[in-house]
Amino acid sequence: MKTLTKIIATSAAVVALFFSTNVNAQSKNLGIGLNVGIPTSDAYSVAIGGDLRYQFNVDKQLSIPVTAGYTSFSVKDEFGGGSFGYIPAKVGAKYFFNESGSGIYGLAELGAGFGTNKGSGTSFVYSPAIGYAWDSGLDLGVKYEGLAQNGTSTGYVGLRLAYGFSL
């Protein structure tokens, strides 16, 4: 699984670089977000994290986002307490359903999650989302982020509140 994750992460970076050479100027291409969610595993009580997202705009409706950040799952006391953290590095496609480049959008991202706890390794990360982006830069999304490694998986259903701005 480690080799597959590395191949996916490398491929995602190559795709992002390819699209960055054909970018149209569009506002709000860098965003910083806060993610809060409910884990899908009984061992965890809450997931919280932050991310930085850069969007390579193909046109007003389509962009290629590259996202990295940090997410921590709080482990319930009956499962030993503490936390499990990972650094997600993802690339995807974001599509706005109207021609203005704001409003309702769909997003799908794939990548790798690099565990920060000793022995946690690297996971395959996938994250579908729907959201709404305002012209002011405010962005609110609902997403699922899943991690899969060695035949096991976990994830969370959450909200992402972000603010986007131009570079």
Side-chain angles (χ1 to χ4, degrees):
M1 185 67 169
K2 279 187 173 184
T3 303
L4 178 61
T5 303
K6 289 178 184 175
I7 290 169
I8 290 171
T10 302
S11 299
V14 169
V15 168
L17 287 173
F18 170 75
F19 278 105
S20 70
T21 61
N22 297 314
V23 187
N24 292 332
Q26 181 180 343
S27 62
K28 315 298 190 258
N29 54 359
L30 182 66
I32 186 165
L34 173 66
N35 301 290
V36 178
I38 300 169
T40 57
S41 171
D42 290 337
Y44 306 110
S45 58
V46 67
I48 188 165
D51 62 43
L52 190 62
R53 177 179 291 158
Y54 187 82
Q55 295 183 163
F56 297 98
N57 300 308
V58 177
D59 62 28
K60 283 195 175 233
Q61 287 183 272
L62 179 65
S63 66
I64 307 300
V66 177
T67 307
Y70 178 77
T71 301
S72 179
F73 285 84
S74 293
V75 180
K76 292 181 180 175
D77 289 338
E78 61 263 30
F79 293 94
S83 65
F84 163 72
Y86 69 97
I87 298 168
K90 306 174 288 185
V91 67
K94 183 176 185 180
Y95 181 78
F96 285 95
F97 293 103
N98 74 43
E99 295 177 7
S100 71
S102 63
I104 298 173
Y105 64 84
L107 170 70
E109 294 179 298
L110 300 173
F114 303 98
T116 59
N117 297 56
K118 185 176 181 181
S120 58
T122 303
S123 301
F124 173 69
V125 176
Y126 53 98
S127 184
I130 57 171
Y132 192 93
W134 286 266
D135 288 332
S136 66
L138 190 62
D139 186 322
L140 181 63
V142 177
K143 71 179 198 170
Y144 173 78
E145 184 155 298
L147 294 99
Q149 181 186 46
N150 300 327
T152 63
S153 64
T154 191
Y156 71 94
V157 175
L159 292 174
R160 178 178 188 266
L161 178 62
Y163 180 75
F165 51 93
S166 301
L167 284 180

